[in-house]
Amino acid sequence: MKITTWNVNSLTARLQHVLDWLTANPVDVLALQELKLTDDKFPHDALREIGYEAVAFGQKTYNGVALLSRSPVANVARNIEGFADESARVIAGTVETPNGPLRVVNGYFVNGQEPGSEKFQYKLNWLNGLQSWLRNELAAHPRLVLLGDFNIAPEDRDSYDPVGLAETIHHTTVERDHFKALLGLGLHDAFRMFDQPPKSFSWWDYRMLGYQKNRGLRIDHILVSTPLVPQVKACSVDRVPRKWTKPSDHAPVTVELG
DNA sequence: ATGGCTTCTCCTAGAAGA
Protein backbone atom coordinates (compact mmCIF):
# COMPACT_ATOMS: atom_id res chain seq x y z
CA MET A 1 0.00 0.00 0.00
CA LYS A 2 1.04 3.58 -0.62
CA ILE A 3 0.71 6.55 1.69
CA THR A 4 1.47 10.13 0.64
CA THR A 5 1.91 13.46 2.36
CA TRP A 6 1.33 16.72 0.48
CA ASN A 7 1.13 20.30 1.65
CA VAL A 8 -1.17 21.75 -1.02
CA ASN A 9 -1.10 25.41 0.10
CA SER A 10 -4.89 25.89 -0.14
CA LEU A 11 -7.12 23.01 -1.17
CA THR A 12 -9.44 25.52 -2.83
CA ALA A 13 -6.64 26.71 -5.11
CA ARG A 14 -5.23 23.20 -5.59
CA LEU A 15 -8.28 20.93 -5.85
CA GLN A 16 -7.78 20.19 -9.53
CA HIS A 17 -4.13 19.35 -8.91
CA VAL A 18 -5.11 16.96 -6.13
CA LEU A 19 -7.72 15.29 -8.33
CA ASP A 20 -5.30 15.02 -11.26
CA TRP A 21 -2.50 13.71 -9.09
CA LEU A 22 -4.69 11.11 -7.35
CA THR A 23 -6.09 9.94 -10.67
CA ALA A 24 -2.55 9.35 -11.93
CA ASN A 25 -1.32 8.08 -8.54
CA PRO A 26 -4.17 6.23 -6.82
CA VAL A 27 -2.44 5.89 -3.46
CA ASP A 28 -4.31 4.31 -0.55
CA VAL A 29 -4.02 7.28 1.78
CA LEU A 30 -3.24 10.92 1.03
CA ALA A 31 -2.47 13.19 3.97
CA LEU A 32 -3.01 16.86 3.12
CA GLN A 33 -1.84 19.97 4.94
CA GLU A 34 -2.61 23.67 4.65
CA LEU A 35 -6.17 23.22 3.44
CA LYS A 36 -6.95 26.87 4.32
CA LEU A 37 -10.67 26.15 4.32
CA THR A 38 -13.38 25.34 6.83
CA ASP A 39 -14.96 21.89 7.01
CA ASP A 40 -18.22 23.09 5.43
CA LYS A 41 -16.24 23.97 2.29
CA PHE A 42 -14.37 20.67 2.09
CA PRO A 43 -14.77 19.13 -1.42
CA HIS A 44 -16.09 15.73 -0.35
CA ASP A 45 -18.15 15.20 -3.50
CA ALA A 46 -15.31 15.79 -5.98
CA LEU A 47 -13.07 13.39 -4.04
CA ARG A 48 -15.79 10.76 -3.73
CA GLU A 49 -16.14 10.77 -7.51
CA ILE A 50 -12.56 9.53 -7.82
CA GLY A 51 -12.92 6.99 -5.02
CA TYR A 52 -11.77 8.80 -1.88
CA GLU A 53 -13.49 9.40 1.43
CA ALA A 54 -12.03 12.12 3.58
CA VAL A 55 -11.86 13.13 7.20
CA ALA A 56 -10.97 16.77 7.60
CA PHE A 57 -9.97 19.21 10.29
CA GLY A 58 -10.15 22.59 8.67
CA GLN A 59 -9.78 26.22 9.57
CA LYS A 60 -10.35 29.50 7.81
CA THR A 61 -7.33 31.05 6.00
CA TYR A 62 -4.60 29.06 7.74
CA ASN A 63 -3.59 25.50 8.56
CA GLY A 64 -6.10 22.66 8.16
CA VAL A 65 -5.34 18.96 7.61
CA ALA A 66 -7.17 15.98 6.13
CA LEU A 67 -6.82 12.26 5.49
CA LEU A 68 -8.10 11.01 2.15
CA SER A 69 -8.49 7.25 1.92
CA ARG A 70 -9.81 4.60 -0.41
CA SER A 71 -10.87 2.55 2.64
CA PRO A 72 -12.61 3.73 5.81
CA VAL A 73 -10.71 5.73 8.42
CA ALA A 74 -11.64 4.90 12.02
CA ASN A 75 -10.92 6.30 15.48
CA VAL A 76 -10.24 9.82 14.20
CA ALA A 77 -8.42 12.24 16.49
CA ARG A 78 -7.99 15.96 15.98
CA ASN A 79 -5.00 17.92 17.28
CA ILE A 80 -2.73 16.85 20.11
CA GLU A 81 -4.45 15.45 23.15
CA GLY A 82 -3.24 17.37 26.18
CA PHE A 83 -2.00 20.36 24.18
CA ALA A 84 -4.41 23.25 23.76
CA ASP A 85 -4.04 24.67 20.24
CA GLU A 86 -5.92 27.38 18.38
CA SER A 87 -4.74 25.96 15.05
CA ALA A 88 -5.97 22.89 13.15
CA ARG A 89 -2.69 21.03 12.72
CA VAL A 90 -3.14 17.33 13.35
CA ILE A 91 -5.57 14.68 12.22
CA ALA A 92 -5.01 11.01 13.00
CA GLY A 93 -6.94 7.92 12.04
CA THR A 94 -6.69 4.16 11.72
CA VAL A 95 -6.95 2.25 8.44
CA GLU A 96 -7.16 -1.50 8.05
CA THR A 97 -4.42 -3.20 6.05
CA PRO A 98 -3.65 -6.84 5.18
CA ASN A 99 -1.10 -6.77 8.01
CA GLY A 100 -3.43 -5.29 10.59
CA PRO A 101 -4.54 -1.83 11.65
CA LEU A 102 -2.30 1.09 10.77
CA ARG A 103 -2.36 4.36 12.66
CA VAL A 104 -1.76 7.39 10.43
CA VAL A 105 -0.86 10.67 12.13
CA ASN A 106 -0.89 13.66 9.80
CA GLY A 107 0.66 16.90 11.02
CA TYR A 108 1.15 20.42 9.79
CA PHE A 109 3.95 21.39 12.15
CA VAL A 110 4.34 25.00 13.26
CA ASN A 111 6.50 27.11 10.95
CA GLY A 112 8.07 29.23 13.67
CA GLN A 113 8.99 32.19 11.45
CA GLU A 114 12.21 33.19 13.21
CA PRO A 115 14.29 31.71 16.03
CA GLY A 116 13.71 33.67 19.19
CA SER A 117 10.27 34.91 18.16
CA GLU A 118 7.02 34.14 19.95
CA LYS A 119 6.04 31.92 17.05
CA PHE A 120 9.27 30.01 17.42
CA GLN A 121 8.51 29.40 21.09
CA TYR A 122 5.06 28.17 20.06
CA LYS A 123 6.80 25.78 17.64
CA LEU A 124 8.96 24.38 20.44
CA ASN A 125 5.97 24.05 22.81
CA TRP A 126 3.97 22.36 20.07
CA LEU A 127 6.82 19.93 19.37
CA ASN A 128 7.02 19.08 23.07
CA GLY A 129 3.28 18.44 23.14
CA LEU A 130 3.48 16.29 20.03
CA GLN A 131 6.27 14.20 21.48
CA SER A 132 4.43 13.46 24.74
CA TRP A 133 1.24 12.57 22.93
CA LEU A 134 3.01 10.41 20.35
CA ARG A 135 4.60 8.34 23.07
CA ASN A 136 1.08 7.29 24.09
CA GLU A 137 -0.11 6.91 20.49
CA LEU A 138 2.79 4.57 19.76
CA ALA A 139 2.04 2.51 22.84
CA ALA A 140 -1.60 2.20 21.77
CA HIS A 141 -0.85 1.73 18.06
CA PRO A 142 2.49 -0.02 17.47
CA ARG A 143 2.04 0.16 13.70
CA LEU A 144 2.14 3.91 13.22
CA VAL A 145 3.10 6.38 10.49
CA LEU A 146 3.80 10.02 11.36
CA LEU A 147 3.84 12.16 8.24
CA GLY A 148 3.30 15.70 7.12
CA ASP A 149 4.95 19.06 6.76
CA PHE A 150 7.41 19.05 9.66
CA ASN A 151 8.90 22.46 8.85
CA ILE A 152 12.27 21.02 9.90
CA ALA A 153 15.22 20.23 7.62
CA PRO A 154 16.70 17.42 9.74
CA GLU A 155 20.26 17.48 8.39
CA ASP A 156 22.54 19.69 6.33
CA ARG A 157 21.95 17.52 3.27
CA ASP A 158 18.25 18.44 3.50
CA SER A 159 18.96 22.08 2.63
CA TYR A 160 20.18 23.82 -0.52
CA ASP A 161 22.37 26.13 1.57
CA PRO A 162 23.18 24.57 4.93
CA VAL A 163 26.05 26.98 5.60
CA GLY A 164 24.33 30.21 4.63
CA LEU A 165 21.15 29.15 6.41
CA ALA A 166 22.80 27.65 9.49
CA GLU A 167 20.70 28.25 12.62
CA THR A 168 17.96 29.98 10.64
CA ILE A 169 14.37 28.73 10.67
CA HIS A 170 14.02 25.01 9.82
CA HIS A 171 17.79 24.61 10.37
CA THR A 172 18.29 25.35 14.06
CA THR A 173 19.90 22.86 16.40
CA VAL A 174 16.88 22.92 18.70
CA GLU A 175 14.50 22.04 15.83
CA ARG A 176 16.82 19.27 14.68
CA ASP A 177 17.02 17.96 18.23
CA HIS A 178 13.23 17.76 18.25
CA PHE A 179 13.31 15.76 15.04
CA LYS A 180 15.87 13.40 16.60
CA ALA A 181 13.68 13.09 19.67
CA LEU A 182 10.84 11.88 17.44
CA LEU A 183 13.19 9.26 16.00
CA GLY A 184 14.08 8.42 19.60
CA LEU A 185 10.48 7.40 20.22
CA GLY A 186 11.06 4.51 17.82
CA LEU A 187 10.34 6.18 14.49
CA HIS A 188 12.40 5.94 11.32
CA ASP A 189 12.77 8.37 8.41
CA ALA A 190 11.45 6.29 5.49
CA PHE A 191 13.14 8.53 2.91
CA ARG A 192 16.58 7.82 4.37
CA MET A 193 16.06 4.07 4.35
CA PHE A 194 16.96 4.22 0.63
CA ASP A 195 19.64 5.69 -1.59
CA GLN A 196 18.37 9.06 -2.78
CA PRO A 197 19.64 11.56 -5.30
CA PRO A 198 21.74 14.33 -3.71
CA LYS A 199 19.86 17.58 -3.17
CA SER A 200 16.51 15.84 -2.78
CA PHE A 201 13.99 18.37 -1.49
CA SER A 202 10.24 18.59 -0.94
CA TRP A 203 9.71 22.36 -0.87
CA TRP A 204 10.98 25.17 -3.08
CA ASP A 205 10.33 28.89 -2.60
CA TYR A 206 8.01 30.47 -5.15
CA ARG A 207 10.47 33.35 -5.37
CA MET A 208 13.97 33.53 -6.81
CA LEU A 209 13.28 30.81 -9.37
CA GLY A 210 13.59 28.48 -6.41
CA TYR A 211 12.41 25.37 -8.17
CA GLN A 212 14.30 25.99 -11.40
CA LYS A 213 17.52 26.43 -9.41
CA ASN A 214 16.64 23.57 -7.03
CA ARG A 215 16.96 25.90 -4.07
CA GLY A 216 14.82 23.80 -1.78
CA LEU A 217 14.48 22.12 1.57
CA ARG A 218 13.42 18.63 2.61
CA ILE A 219 10.85 19.45 5.27
CA ASP A 220 8.02 17.03 4.40
CA HIS A 221 8.64 13.69 6.04
CA ILE A 222 7.29 10.21 6.58
CA LEU A 223 8.36 8.45 9.77
CA VAL A 224 7.42 4.82 10.38
CA SER A 225 7.41 2.93 13.66
CA THR A 226 9.87 0.08 14.21
CA PRO A 227 7.42 -2.79 13.50
CA LEU A 228 6.78 -1.26 10.05
CA VAL A 229 10.43 -0.97 9.04
CA PRO A 230 10.64 -4.42 7.36
CA GLN A 231 7.59 -3.52 5.29
CA VAL A 232 8.93 -0.27 3.81
CA LYS A 233 9.58 -0.91 0.12
CA ALA A 234 10.20 2.58 -1.24
CA CYS A 235 9.99 6.27 -0.44
CA SER A 236 10.31 9.14 -2.89
CA VAL A 237 9.43 12.73 -3.73
CA ASP A 238 7.28 13.32 -6.82
CA ARG A 239 8.47 16.59 -8.36
CA VAL A 240 6.05 16.39 -11.28
CA PRO A 241 3.21 18.49 -9.79
CA ARG A 242 5.71 21.17 -8.72
CA LYS A 243 6.15 21.83 -12.46
CA TRP A 244 2.45 22.27 -13.13
CA THR A 245 0.88 25.68 -13.62
CA LYS A 246 0.14 27.43 -10.30
CA PRO A 247 1.69 24.64 -8.21
CA SER A 248 1.85 24.19 -4.48
CA ASP A 249 5.31 25.11 -3.22
CA HIS A 250 5.53 21.58 -1.76
CA ALA A 251 5.81 18.28 -3.61
CA PRO A 252 4.11 15.04 -2.52
CA VAL A 253 6.21 12.42 -0.72
CA THR A 254 5.10 8.79 -0.87
CA VAL A 255 6.00 5.68 1.10
CA GLU A 256 5.23 2.18 -0.13
CA LEU A 257 4.57 -0.49 2.48
CA GLY A 258 4.64 -4.15 1.51
C1' DA B 1 21.87 43.86 -0.05
C1' DT B 2 16.97 43.42 -0.46
C1' DG B 3 13.54 40.78 -2.16
C1' DG B 4 11.95 38.71 -6.01
C1' DC B 5 5.80 34.71 -5.17
C1' DT B 6 1.30 33.05 -3.73
C1' DT B 7 -2.48 32.64 -0.73
C1' DC B 8 -5.98 34.54 2.12
C1' DT B 9 -9.10 38.28 3.94
C1' DC B 10 -12.44 42.53 8.16
C1' DC B 11 -10.50 42.31 0.19
C1' DT B 12 -6.72 45.70 -3.69
C1' DA B 13 -2.70 46.03 1.55
C1' DG B 14 -0.90 43.40 4.80
C1' DA B 15 0.12 39.13 6.94
C1' DA B 16 2.01 34.72 6.56
C1' DG B 17 4.31 31.17 4.63
C1' DA B 18 9.34 28.85 4.64
Side-chain angles (χ1 to χ4, degrees):
Chain A
M1 72 179 301
K2 290 184 177 178
I3 304 175
T4 301
T5 177
W6 194 7
N7 178 326
V8 290
N9 184 20
S10 168
L11 184 55
T12 308
R14 225 66 62 200
L15 177 60
Q16 195 56 51
H17 281 198
V18 171
L19 296 171
D20 291 348
W21 190 84
L22 277 176
T23 302
N25 305 272
V27 296
D28 297 277
V29 177
L30 174 59
L32 297 178
Q33 304 91 36
E34 280 209 85
L35 306 179
K36 297 187 176 180
L37 51 72
T38 47
D39 289 344
D40 57 305
K41 300 211 168 62
F42 193 91
H44 288 284
D45 293 343
L47 290 164
R48 233 172 246 136
E49 278 180 28
I50 60 162
Y52 287 87
E53 285 293 330
V55 289
F57 183 32
Q59 180 185 332
K60 194 174 178 179
T61 314
Y62 302 114
N63 311 309
V65 285
L67 289 171
L68 280 48
S69 176
R70 306 189 71 86
S71 66
V73 179
N75 197 8
V76 176
R78 288 171 171 83
N79 267 353
I80 297 165
E81 194 184 329
F83 181 82
D85 198 347
E86 305 282 310
S87 307
R89 296 189 175 276
V90 175
I91 190 164
T94 301
V95 292
E96 290 302 324
T97 81
N99 297 304
L102 179 72
R103 190 69 169 165
V104 181
V105 180
N106 172 22
Y108 174 48
F109 291 36
V110 177
N111 175 305
Q113 214 161 50
E114 190 176 358
S117 67
E118 256 180 50
K119 287 176 180 175
F120 192 75
Q121 189 56 52
Y122 165 48
K123 181 174 198 168
L124 300 183
N125 295 343
W126 189 93
L127 285 163
N128 277 322
L130 177 73
Q131 199 186 129
S132 308
W133 173 66
L134 266 180
R135 205 182 303 275
N136 300 331
E137 280 286 295
L138 276 161
H141 313 282
R143 303 178 75 247
L144 183 146
V145 174
L146 170 68
L147 78 176
D149 176 357
F150 284 49
N151 274 317
I152 300 172
E155 300 176 54
D156 280 356
R157 60 179 167 166
D158 299 313
S159 172
Y160 71 95
D161 185 10
V163 174
L165 295 174
E167 295 301 328
T168 66
I169 196 67
H170 311 304
H171 299 70
T172 65
T173 303
V174 65
E175 290 167 283
R176 288 176 169 179
D177 284 348
H178 270 285
F179 188 87
K180 288 178 196 157
L182 291 173
L183 302 183
L185 296 176
L187 293 168
H188 310 263
D189 185 344
F191 191 76
R192 292 302 181 200
M193 291 169 58
F194 302 92
D195 284 331
Q196 302 288 355
K199 300 187 189 301
S200 283
F201 305 128
S202 66
W203 169 88
W204 300 261
D205 203 309
Y206 285 125
R207 301 166 294 184
M208 298 192 308
L209 299 174
Y211 182 74
Q212 290 84 337
K213 295 179 174 175
N214 197 30
R215 294 161 65 95
L217 304 174
R218 191 176 74 95
I219 53 176
D220 300 272
H221 305 297
I222 302 179
L223 308 188
V224 303
S225 62
T226 304
L228 293 174
V229 168
Q231 290 173 37
V232 180
K233 302 303 176 201
C235 184
S236 61
V237 178
D238 182 3
R239 287 187 300 274
V240 169
R242 187 64 179 75
K243 302 170 194 165
W244 292 345
T245 306
K246 288 261 174 192
S248 167
D249 42 0
H250 296 252
V253 182
T254 299
V255 68
E256 182 176 357
L257 301 175

